[in-house]
Structure formats: structure tokens, C-alpha cells
Amino acid sequence: MNDPLVQWSEELSTGIHEIDQQHRMLVDILNEFHDAIQHRKGTDAAAAILERLADYTRIHFAVEESMMRLLDYPDYHSHKALHDALIEQLTDLALKFAAGKKSVSFELMHFLRQWLTRHIKEDDMSYTAHFIRHGVVTNPDGGSHTRSEDGFSIKKMWSSFWK
């Protein structure tokens, strides 16, 4: 892949391993979409990548929102509203792209790069301090976890949350 649209850097790192891994995946899929557009791989191929990006974004937002609820993040509702607005914008642009509106390609690339980097640097960084205050720490070997005497952890919370 030549000339990525977004280059991962520590500036995009929240310091929460699981979230950072998901952000990296979003960057990778976005760069894959950009590559498909740049190398004219066809509307169908690009649309499939864009759909994967939208699906993964929804999953990522669900994870963030779940952590926010579990850790009683005070700005949960406003952050969720941002997620909902981003999904709505992404869906609208994806529909225009799928309809063959060529001019939307540049608009879409600009929008995707801006929302991803801005959302991570500004909006997602706002919950990082709250998560850390509640004991979420980076664990490169096993993802995010919380410290506690009783061994309660995010992993345990996830397993009970998804049942």
C-alpha cells in the first residue's frame, strides 16, 4: 500500500491497549479504502471495504460505549451522540459513493481522515483520564484491564456483559 491516508502515530494512542488496537484497525481499513480509490480497483471493491469500515466502526463504538457505561463515564451521552452522528454521516456518504457519485470520493476521503483523527485526538482522549482514574491500564500482553484487590477486570466485565 503506497502513501497511506492516515499514518498511525503515538499522537493517536489513548494508552488503552484494546482501544488503540481497534483504532489501528480503523486506520488500516481506511488506508485500504484509500488505496482502492487511488489504484482504481473499482467501485464494488471500494464499496465492500467502505462497508467493512462502517461495520468495524459500529463494533468499535459499541466497545467504547460499553466501557463508558461500565465505568460510569459522565459524558457518555454526549460521546454516544457524537458516535451516532458519525455513523449517520458515514452511512450517508457510503450511500452516495455506492450510487456512483464520483465527486464524493474526495469528500469521503477528507471526511474519513478528519473524523477518525479528530475523534481520536479530541473526543476519545477525553475519556482516557476517566478510565485511568478507574484503574484501566495498558497491558500489551492481554489488553485493557483494571487493577483491584478482588481481581475484577475489564475482561471479566466483558465476559459477563456479552452473555
Side-chain angles (χ1 to χ4, degrees), residues 35-99:
D35 185 66
I37 297 295
Q38 273 191 322
H39 293 98
R40 294 178 174 84
K41 294 183 179 179
T43 302
D44 290 342
I49 297 166
L50 186 57
E51 184 176 332
R52 221 171 69 237
L53 177 65
D55 289 344
Y56 195 81
T57 299
R58 285 183 191 91
I59 291 167
H60 168 67
F61 285 173
V63 169
E64 280 187 354
E65 291 165 13
S66 296
M67 288 180 76
M68 288 177 196
R69 285 191 312 270
L70 290 168
L71 297 171
D72 200 26
Y73 181 58
D75 291 329
Y76 164 76
H77 293 291
S78 62
H79 200 100
K80 182 173 181 356
L82 289 171
H83 285 173
D84 293 345
L86 289 170
I87 290 294
E88 189 176 317
Q89 288 175 291
L90 178 58
T91 302
D92 182 53
L93 287 169
L95 288 171
K96 288 179 185 175
F97 180 80

Side-chain angles (χ1 to χ4, degrees), residues 15 38 43 73 99 108-109 118 144-145 153:
Q38 273 191 322
T43 302
Y73 181 58
L108 186 55
M109 284 296 123
R118 185 178 303 138
S144 308
H145 69 278
S153 71

Side-chain angles (χ1 to χ4, degrees), residues 22-30 53 56-57 60 116:
Q22 291 178 10
H23 286 164
R24 284 178 191 247
M25 178 62 76
L26 289 169
V27 166
D28 289 347
I29 298 170
L30 176 56
L53 177 65
Y56 195 81
T57 299
H60 168 67
L116 182 62

